[in-house]
Amino acid sequence: MTEAAELPPAPEQAREVFGERFADAVRYAELLAEAGVQRGLIGPREVPRLWERHLLNCAVLSEAVPEGVTVCDVGSGAGLPGIPLALVREDLSITLLEPLLRRTNFLTEVVELLGLDHVTVVRGRAEEVMGKLPPVHVVTARAVAPLDRLAAWGIPLLRPYGEMLALKGDTAEEELKAAATALTKLGAVSTSILHVGEGVVDPLSTVVRVEVGESPGGVRFAAKRAKAARTGRARRRR
């Protein structure tokens, strides 16, 4: 039986990034290193680099998120990037969207333990919840799927003129080029690559930003959204 890897102490940057929520960030790291590994949510090899590669890498996404907006973290998994983002940004209203029960159970436990009152956990797939969840200003995601597939899931959840922020690695530029046609069909009006986390993470975190116009998801999803809205109104009248 392989001996569990040990969680290293939090780096000094973590105190600066998480501020008053630093103790909660440490508790979350401990939960990932213990229950997260035991339940198969993260691999044991990730434990020694939890702070730099995961918590801080995700927390600096906050640099790209506007103030006071609604956020849906698609395919939240063990809570990355949604939980670190919630710890540094209490002004946001965040939904953690995840289809697997063992993951949503873990997320619910974390949210309750850390007292994240501005975070809601929803079990489901993005394509299933469209029309059931209120459209959001920002969709976030990390290591969920290639950009074209991720956009097909995430963009229809946006409000008009919202944006998707996807944490990506070295392939960000290639993925953006490959997904250009698909993004246009989904209603994207602008795309860019951001690098965030100066002085906190090295290398910097790479974020693909996709901004949409008045029809997130394009024509195809406009009809679906209208149908969902009509169904919702009919249910409320009953």
Side-chain angles (χ1 to χ4, degrees):
M1 186 173 177
T2 306
E3 188 176 340
E6 187 175 342
L7 177 69
E12 195 57 39
Q13 295 97 314
R15 291 184 178 275
E16 299 170 14
V17 170
F18 291 103
E20 294 180 0
R21 284 283 196 170
F22 173 70
D24 290 326
V26 171
R27 187 69 189 111
Y28 176 51
E30 292 170 347
L31 288 166
L32 288 174
E34 296 162 8
V37 172
Q38 291 164 8
R39 300 187 196 182
L41 303 182
I42 67 164
R45 292 182 180 179
E46 296 304 312
V47 173
R49 50 187 184 179
L50 266 178
W51 283 106
E52 287 81 2
R53 185 183 174 103
H54 298 288
L55 273 75
L56 289 172
N57 179 275
C58 290
V60 296
L61 179 63
S62 65
E63 295 176 22
V65 181
E67 288 187 20
V69 297
T70 53
V71 177
C72 183
D73 188 32
V74 172
S76 198
L80 301 165
I83 297 291
L85 184 61
L87 287 170
V88 297
R89 294 287 301 275
E90 294 191 38
D91 60 301
L92 304 176
S93 178
I94 300 176
T95 298
L96 306 180
L97 181 62
E98 169 56 47
L100 295 184
L101 179 61
R102 64 188 170 89
R103 293 177 180 169
T104 53
N105 284 344
F106 175 78
L107 292 173
T108 300
E109 291 166 20
V110 171
V111 166
E112 291 176 355
L113 183 67
L114 302 185
L116 298 174
D117 298 333
H118 57 306
V119 178
T120 303
V121 178
V122 174
R123 185 184 175 200
R125 299 183 185 280
E127 58 269 35
E128 297 168 347
V129 301
M130 191 188 70
K132 298 175 184 176
L133 293 180
V136 296
H137 297 92
V138 177
V139 162
T140 59
R142 178 180 187 252
V144 173
L147 187 60
D148 55 348
R149 207 182 327 155
L150 173 61
W153 297 335
I155 286 180
L157 301 177
L158 289 170
R159 299 169 49 132
Y161 308 105
E163 60 186 350
M164 183 176 75
L165 299 172
L167 278 161
K168 289 287 183 180
D170 297 336
T171 62
E173 196 166 333
E174 294 170 25
E175 285 193 51
L176 193 51
K177 287 179 182 176
T181 301
L183 292 174
T184 300
K185 288 181 180 178
L186 286 164
V189 295
S190 176
T191 61
S192 56
I193 294 178
L194 314 175
H195 298 284
V196 295
E198 183 73 44
V200 178
V201 290
D202 183 20
L204 300 179
S205 296
T206 301
V207 181
V208 174
R209 170 183 271 158
V210 179
E211 298 172 84
V212 300
E214 60 183 18
S215 298
V219 176
R220 178 178 154 211
F221 286 97
K224 279 190 176 183
R225 194 176 288 107
K227 181 180 178 181
R230 287 196 299 273
T231 302
R233 285 195 296 271
R235 283 176 182 162
R236 286 193 292 272
R237 284 197 295 267
R238 287 175 189 169

